[in-house]
């Protein structure tokens, strides 16, 4: 239907289908025509009433017969080129106000014997005003209509209508040209001295306020500040007896009212009297605003198109039609009727050709369910004065009280294309430009001025003047490109820079020539684009890439250095070794994520008293500092235990060593075990490390950890030890947390997975450690994995096989590279 959303407030959508089939649609058209005819009869009756009042005025003025008065009005209308209704309103509007009137409901005050003394254009202005006043349906609309007419006639900027209330105050019943805040502040005025509206209602005479300094001392002037309207006119609206309505005309013009303007305003007040008497709807009082008035007040501030529909129901309660009771000012239907003209009309009378469309059923559904209806875009077609009209709409109808609040979007193809072009220029930060080389005509889009930073009031630049915008180092290149385009028709795409208050901006000019048949360039089309953001992003990206490459080189160098340092300090054994009758195997797998070097390590040494020391540790962090801390802990632990220090005391001193190191925030976990071969007794202690795993006769269990805090976490930790007597065939696994940890998984899950893998691959075969690692380690490791596999041979003779070489009777530390 329509893929764009260019919105205008120039049309109201068709309003629906009362039935569900062809018969009901045809019946709806008949009813609509009948109601339209009734409306025309009502208008004719109103016209006849105006005609009779004008005839009566002429009869009283000249003493002629009714037929003669009728002929005179027709003659005047024919001679002046006006309609009969306009001439009638002119005749009534030229009458003087009555001094006394016995009947307040009298049609008009006694006429005066002479026509208006103003110029002929005064009569024309009154004619236009009288014709427009016939259509108003409320005091608020009356104020708006008056301002439309008086703005050009007397330079009016605001119109106020105040009505006397029973309690003695006055109420603002209509206003135009004054904002909502003013209307709220001055809606109700108590009976105060010095209020101009009270004075004209009391005296019945106009009040001309034309000297602001003097007027401020005598009267209470509305407005904040009062200087907003330096000249004002207040006139009573004649109604017989005491005045009931005061008309205020406020101007920003500080000159006195001219005689013609005063006479026009007096005649306007008399025209308002007839219109106010004709309004059959009671005017609302404060606190008692009806729904229609409240909605219309909101509509006055809306920029779009919207109407309030009141359903008209039949005897059985079914919806037969809708009446438009309020409309936003900018609402205009497909036939050109404005919001003011639409108020009071019935939908099927105004738009009978849409009977049978789904829109009406949507309205009914919204009324019945209370759920807003939003229709798909549809094309509306109708005929006006024999001319086909077509428009495309999207409609939304929401229940409001007993009625429907209907708003819509209208899609206009030409405006849609213009909006698309404007959006493309704005989003792409570019603007088009055109130079006619033959006529010299130049045209730029609004965005082109914004891109080059030029005030639109100064107009566009010639092609030859564009290089003057560029920085000196870019001007020659741009000049050469423009010269080649103008002389040889050679298109170009040239970047250049300009100086702006916010700094240097990077622009791009793309242009091509339209040539004459002989090849001579006649016109240049092009666009200029702001690439500052893109260029800044490119420069930032290049800088980031350089920084990243530099950092990567530093990290790789650090990794290589750390790896060499680890290999130098902690050689990895090439095969299983035997210590104190135990078979010891080591596995170390470096992390695969990142390029950092970690601090995982192990030790397996034979002590001077023939006991064996086993250590597995993990220093927090990566890099050279982690390797240095690991080496420090390894040497210190080995030295202390070798000289007779107990495991718990060694852990306590290692904790103090970390606390007083250069980087006091470094922490580490560790597990230390001392094995006495003559008693087959393993004594062990730990500092925040995962528990050892024991495999015995096919059963798998974790050893209960003795008390032990993370190294470097506190100044007064407590460390305890535990003992385990190994049996032939036992297998003990010491490991770092990289073996059991996986992202998004708890440690309990990893410990259970390790126990299951050890149960499945715990036969003690030569490849059992490899099989266990294959089952435990994921394809991508985020941390190092270090495992110390300690086994007690099942046979006594196995304990004496493969004695430890002298060269191997030291320590083996897992490198972390």
């Amino acid at each position: 239907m329509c893929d764009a959303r260019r919105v205008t407030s120039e049309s109201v959508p068709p309003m629906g289908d009362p039935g569900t089939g062809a018969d009901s649609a045809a019946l709806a058209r008949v009813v609509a025509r009948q109601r339209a005819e009734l409306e025309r009869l009502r208008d004719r009756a109103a016209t006849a009433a105006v005609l009779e009042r004008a005839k009566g005025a002429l009869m009283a003025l000249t003493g002629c017969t009714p037929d003669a008065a009728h002929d005179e009005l027709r003659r005047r209308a024919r001679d002046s080129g006006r309609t009969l209704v306009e001439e009638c309103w002119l005749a009534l509007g030229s009458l003087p106000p009555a001094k006394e009137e016995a009947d307040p409901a009298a049609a008009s005050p006694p006429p005066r014997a002479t026509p208006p003394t103003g110029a002929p254009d005064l009569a024309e202005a009154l004619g236009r005003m009288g014709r427009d006043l016939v259509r108003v349906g409320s005091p608020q609309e009356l104020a708006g209509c008056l301002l439309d007419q008086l703005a050009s006639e007397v330079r009016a900027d605001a119109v106020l209508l105040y009505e006397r209330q029973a309690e003695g105050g006055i109420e603002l019943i209509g206003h135009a040209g004054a904002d909502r805040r003013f209307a709220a502040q001055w809606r109700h005025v108590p009976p105060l001295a010095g209020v101009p509206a009270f004075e004209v209602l009391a005296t019945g005479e106009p009040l001309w306020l034309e000297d602001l300094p003097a007027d401020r001392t005598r009267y209470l002037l509305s407005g904040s500040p009062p200087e907003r309207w330096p000249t004002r006119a207040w006139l009573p609206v004649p109604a017989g007896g005491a005045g009931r309505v005061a008309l205020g005309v406020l101007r920003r013009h500080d000159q006195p009212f001219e005689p013609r303007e005063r006479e026009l305003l007096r005649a306007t007040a008399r025209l308002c009297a007839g219109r106010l008497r004709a309004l059959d709807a009671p005017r609302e009082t404060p606190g008692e605003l009806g729904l229609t008035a409240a909605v219309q007040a909101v509509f006055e501030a809306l920029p779009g198109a919207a109407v309030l529909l009141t359903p008209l129901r039949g005897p059985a309660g079914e919806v037969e039609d809708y009446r438009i009771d309020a409309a936003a000012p900018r609402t205009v239907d497909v036939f050109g009727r404005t919001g003011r003209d639409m108020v009071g009309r019935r939908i099927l009378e105004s738009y009978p050709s849409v009977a049978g469309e789904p829109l009406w059923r949507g309205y009914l559904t919204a009324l019945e369910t209370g759920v807003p209806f939003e229709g798909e875009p549809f094309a509306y077609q109708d005929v006006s004065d024999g001319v086909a009209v077509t428009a495309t709409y999207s409609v939304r109808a929401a229940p409001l009280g007993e009625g429907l609040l209907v708003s819509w979007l209208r899609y206009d193809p030409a405006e849609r294309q213009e909006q698309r072009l404007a959006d493309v220029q704005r989003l792409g930060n570019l603007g088009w430009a055109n130079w006619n080389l033959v006529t010299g005509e130049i045209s730029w889009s609004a965005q082109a001025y914004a891109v080059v930073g030029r005030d639109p009031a100064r107009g566009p630049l010639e092609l030859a003047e564009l290089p003057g915008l560029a920085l000196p180092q870019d001007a020659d290149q741009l000049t050469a490109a423009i010269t080649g385009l103008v002389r040889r028709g050679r298109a170009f795409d040239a970047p250049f820079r300009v100086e702006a208050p916010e700094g240097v901006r990077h622009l791009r000019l793309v242009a091509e020539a339209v040539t004459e048949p002989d090849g001579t360039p006649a016109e240049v089309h092009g666009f200029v684009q702001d690439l500052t953001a893109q260029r800044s992003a490119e420069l930032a990206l290049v800088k980031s890439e350089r920084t990243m490459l530099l950092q990567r080189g530093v990290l790789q160098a650090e990794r290589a250095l750390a790896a060499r340092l680890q290999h130098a300090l902690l050689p990895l054994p090439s095969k299983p070794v035997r210590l104190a009758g135990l078979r010891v195997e080591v596995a170390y797998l470096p992390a695969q994520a990142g390029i950092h070097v970690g601090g995982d390590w192990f030790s397996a040494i034979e002590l001077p008293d023939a006991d064996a020391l086993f250590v597995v540790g993990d220093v927090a962090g990566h890099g050279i500092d982690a390797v240095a801390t690991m080496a420090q802990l390894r040497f210190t632990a080995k030295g202390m235990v070798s000289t007779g220090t107990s495991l718990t005391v060694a852990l306590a001193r290692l904790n103090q060593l970390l606390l007083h190191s250069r980087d006091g925030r470094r922490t580490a976990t560790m597990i230390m075990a001392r094995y006495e071969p003559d008693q087959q007794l393993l004594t062990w202690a730990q500092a925040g490390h995962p528990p050892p795993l024991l495999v015995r006769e096919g059963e798998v269990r974790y050893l209960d950890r003795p008390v032990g805090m993370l190294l470097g976490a506190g100044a007064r930790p407590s460390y305890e030890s535990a003992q385990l007597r190994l049996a032939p065939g036992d297998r003990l696994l010491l490991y770092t947390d990289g073996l059991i940890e996986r992202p998004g998984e708890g440690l309990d899950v990893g410990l259970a997975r390790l126990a299951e893998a050890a149960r499945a691959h715990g036969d003690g075969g030569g490849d059992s450690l490899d099989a266990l690692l294959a089952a435990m380690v994921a394809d991508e490791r985020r941390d190092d994995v270090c495992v110390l596999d300690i086994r007690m041979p099942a046979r006594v003779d196995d304990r004496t096989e493969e004695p430890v070489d002298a060269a191997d009777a030291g320590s083996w530390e897992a490198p972390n590279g």
Side-chain angles (χ1 to χ4, degrees):
M1 177 71 69
C2 182
D3 60 353
R5 291 296 183 267
R6 171 60 180 165
V7 182
T8 70
S9 59
E10 300 175 354
S11 194
V12 67
M15 315 275 184
D17 167 23
T20 58
D23 294 341
S24 59
L27 180 60
R29 294 188 183 95
V30 173
V31 173
R33 286 194 296 270
Q34 291 176 343
R35 287 175 175 166
E37 181 63 23
L38 179 60
E39 183 70 18
R40 285 191 292 271
L41 292 176
R42 289 172 178 169
D43 287 344
R44 185 176 300 173
T47 301
V50 174
L51 176 60
E52 292 303 318
R53 290 173 58 194
K55 288 166 58 178
L58 283 181
M59 292 167 62
L61 178 66
T62 63
C64 65
T65 64
D67 292 340
H70 186 272
D71 293 340
E72 176 63 17
L73 289 172
R74 286 188 174 277
R75 184 192 63 77
R76 291 182 182 182
R78 182 176 63 255
D79 293 344
S80 62
R82 291 187 288 267
T83 65
L84 180 61
V85 174
E86 290 174 340
E87 196 61 44
C88 291
W89 277 110
L90 282 176
L92 294 173
S94 62
L95 301 178
K99 299 299 181 182
E100 292 186 14
E101 196 171 74
D103 182 8
S108 63
R112 65 183 182 181
T114 58
T117 60
D121 62 333
L122 181 62
E124 295 179 4
L126 289 173
R128 290 192 301 270
M129 190 179 304
R131 180 189 58 196
D132 289 346
L133 291 184
V134 176
R135 306 297 302 182
V136 301
S138 68
Q140 179 65 28
E141 292 184 14
L142 177 60
C145 181
L146 290 175
L147 181 59
D148 290 344
Q149 296 291 333
L150 297 178
S152 59
E153 297 293 340
V154 299
R155 292 168 290 182
D157 294 295
V159 170
L160 306 178
L161 287 172
Y162 274 99
E163 182 181 41
R164 187 192 300 274
Q165 301 298 302
E167 67 275 12
I170 55 175
E171 184 70 22
L172 184 65
I173 61 174
H175 64 90
D179 55 35
R180 298 177 62 187
R181 180 179 180 183
F182 172 90
Q185 292 175 340
W186 293 86
R187 179 170 296 279
H188 179 74
V189 181
L192 299 174
V195 176
F198 281 112
E199 181 172 326
V200 299
L201 289 176
T203 64
E205 296 294 334
L207 182 62
W208 310 98
L209 305 180
E210 300 168 328
D211 185 355
L212 182 61
D215 295 336
R216 295 182 65 171
T217 62
R218 298 177 54 196
Y219 298 103
L220 177 61
L221 302 181
S222 58
S224 180
E227 291 82 356
R228 180 180 180 184
W229 296 301
T231 58
R232 312 169 186 226
W234 286 94
L235 303 100
V237 176
R244 182 171 58 89
V245 176
L247 167 64
V249 178
L250 287 64
R251 306 194 306 179
R252 293 190 177 93
H253 185 63
D254 59 358
Q255 298 299 319
F257 288 90
E258 298 175 358
R260 174 192 175 279
E261 293 174 337
R262 294 192 178 197
E263 186 166 1
L264 178 61
L265 289 178
R266 290 190 184 96
T268 299
R270 293 192 292 272
L271 286 176
C272 291
R275 189 63 245 170
L276 288 174
R277 284 195 296 268
L279 295 179
D280 53 2
R283 286 176 283 281
E284 295 93 353
T285 58
E288 298 178 352
L289 287 175
L291 176 62
T292 299
V295 172
Q296 185 62 55
V298 174
F299 278 178
E300 294 296 327
L302 290 181
V307 295
L308 176 66
L309 302 183
T310 299
L312 304 177
R313 301 181 181 273
E318 74 281 1
V319 176
E320 294 182 342
D321 204 343
Y322 292 91
R323 184 181 63 246
I324 302 175
D325 283 342
R330 295 183 60 184
T331 302
V332 181
D333 71 6
V334 72
F335 303 119
R337 291 185 288 254
T338 63
R340 183 179 299 151
D341 295 332
M342 293 164 56
V343 172
R345 291 183 177 271
R346 299 189 178 190
I347 297 306
L348 291 181
E349 293 174 355
S350 301
Y351 315 98
S353 64
V354 300
E357 295 297 324
L359 186 61
W360 187 280
R361 292 192 291 272
Y363 289 169
L364 293 177
T365 302
L367 283 175
E368 294 171 358
T369 65
V371 178
F373 164 75
E374 295 190 12
E376 295 294 330
F378 67 96
Y380 169 68
Q381 296 179 347
D382 209 328
V383 177
S384 176
D385 298 329
V387 179
V389 291
T390 303
T392 302
Y393 300 93
S394 287
V395 180
R396 185 180 191 274
L400 181 63
E402 298 297 325
L404 286 176
L405 184 60
V406 179
S407 58
W408 59 89
L409 305 178
R410 181 186 179 185
Y411 308 109
D412 185 276
E415 293 185 356
R416 183 178 68 218
Q417 295 299 331
E418 293 179 2
Q419 184 62 37
R420 284 178 176 175
L421 179 59
D423 290 342
V424 168
Q425 293 184 79
R426 176 177 52 82
L427 296 175
N429 204 4
L430 57 86
W432 61 263
N434 183 75
W435 292 269
N436 192 312
L437 304 180
V438 178
T439 65
E441 181 183 358
I442 306 173
S443 57
W444 283 12
S445 68
Q447 191 66 22
Y449 289 97
V451 170
V452 301
R454 183 174 176 83
D455 185 356
R458 301 176 60 188
L461 290 173
E462 298 280 351
L463 265 175
E465 297 176 326
L466 287 179
L469 298 174
L471 295 181
Q473 51 268 43
D474 296 340
D476 292 342
Q477 179 183 356
L478 186 57
T479 300
I482 293 175
T483 301
L485 175 67
V486 174
R487 293 181 179 178
R488 294 178 292 275
R490 186 169 56 197
F492 67 84
D493 184 344
F496 64 99
R497 292 165 295 174
V498 298
E499 190 71 40
E502 65 274 12
V504 175
R505 294 168 59 194
H506 296 263
L507 305 184
R508 171 195 183 198
L509 179 61
V510 180
E512 65 179 5
V514 178
T515 62
E516 299 287 356
D518 61 357
T520 303
E523 194 169 358
V524 173
H525 302 159
F527 68 85
V528 60
Q529 185 176 16
D530 189 345
L531 301 178
T532 304
Q534 177 180 339
R535 183 59 177 162
S536 299
E538 291 174 354
L539 294 176
L541 179 59
V542 170
K543 183 177 179 180
S544 298
E545 289 177 347
R546 291 176 179 173
T547 303
M548 183 180 65
L549 291 175
L550 179 62
Q551 184 66 19
R552 182 180 181 87
V554 172
L555 294 177
Q556 287 178 336
E558 180 182 333
R559 174 191 172 107
L561 177 61
R564 288 195 298 271
L565 179 61
Q566 285 182 319
H567 282 291
L569 296 174
L570 307 172
L572 182 67
S574 59
K575 61 181 179 178
V577 298
R578 294 190 182 279
L579 291 175
L582 300 177
R583 181 179 184 273
V584 181
E585 187 175 0
V586 179
Y588 173 77
L589 300 174
Q592 293 180 336
I595 62 173
H596 297 292
V597 177
D600 289 17
W601 92 96
F602 79 94
S603 292
I605 65 172
E606 186 175 314
L607 299 174
D609 56 3
D611 290 354
L613 175 66
F614 303 107
V615 183
V616 172
D618 185 1
V619 177
H622 297 82
I624 295 295
D625 291 340
V627 174
T629 302
M630 175 269 292
Q632 188 178 33
L633 292 177
R634 176 186 68 90
F635 283 118
T636 304
K638 176 182 176 181
M640 286 190 296
V641 177
S642 297
T643 56
T645 304
S646 67
L647 301 181
T648 55
V649 173
L651 288 176
R653 292 177 179 175
L654 291 174
N655 181 73
Q656 292 298 320
L657 178 65
L658 283 184
L659 288 176
H660 294 87
S661 64
R662 182 181 64 181
D663 187 359
R665 295 174 294 178
R666 185 75 65 180
T667 60
T669 67
M670 183 183 296
I671 188 168
M672 303 177 65
R674 181 169 187 152
Y675 178 67
E676 302 174 39
D678 54 347
Q679 301 183 33
Q680 300 181 0
L681 183 65
L682 184 78
T683 302
W684 67 287
Q686 64 87 31
H689 202 82
L693 179 65
L694 176 65
V695 181
R696 174 176 290 174
E697 297 179 352
E699 296 296 327
V700 180
R701 71 180 178 90
Y702 288 100
L703 302 184
D704 294 333
R705 296 192 306 171
V707 174
M709 182 185 293
L710 182 77
L711 297 179
R716 296 179 179 275
S718 176
Y719 296 102
E720 298 180 0
S721 62
Q723 293 183 332
L724 171 69
R725 194 173 300 278
L726 296 179
D730 283 356
R731 183 184 186 187
L732 189 67
L733 294 176
L734 306 181
Y735 52 91
T736 57
D737 56 6
L739 182 67
I740 58 175
E741 286 183 343
R742 288 186 182 177
E745 188 178 80
L747 287 178
D748 292 342
V749 178
L751 292 171
R753 184 170 58 253
L754 175 59
E756 183 61 30
R759 184 180 295 108
H761 305 285
D763 58 359
D767 61 349
S768 60
L769 182 56
D770 293 337
L772 183 141
L773 292 174
M776 286 297 300
V777 178
D779 294 337
E780 182 177 344
R781 296 178 295 281
R782 299 191 178 185
D783 200 358
D784 304 327
V785 175
C786 182
V787 180
L788 195 61
D789 188 357
I790 305 172
R791 305 183 188 183
M792 170 73 79
R795 295 178 301 170
V796 176
D797 55 351
D798 290 341
R799 303 177 195 176
T800 61
E801 293 179 357
E802 302 181 20
V804 177
D805 296 335
D808 295 334
S811 66
W812 296 270
E813 313 288 348
N816 188 0

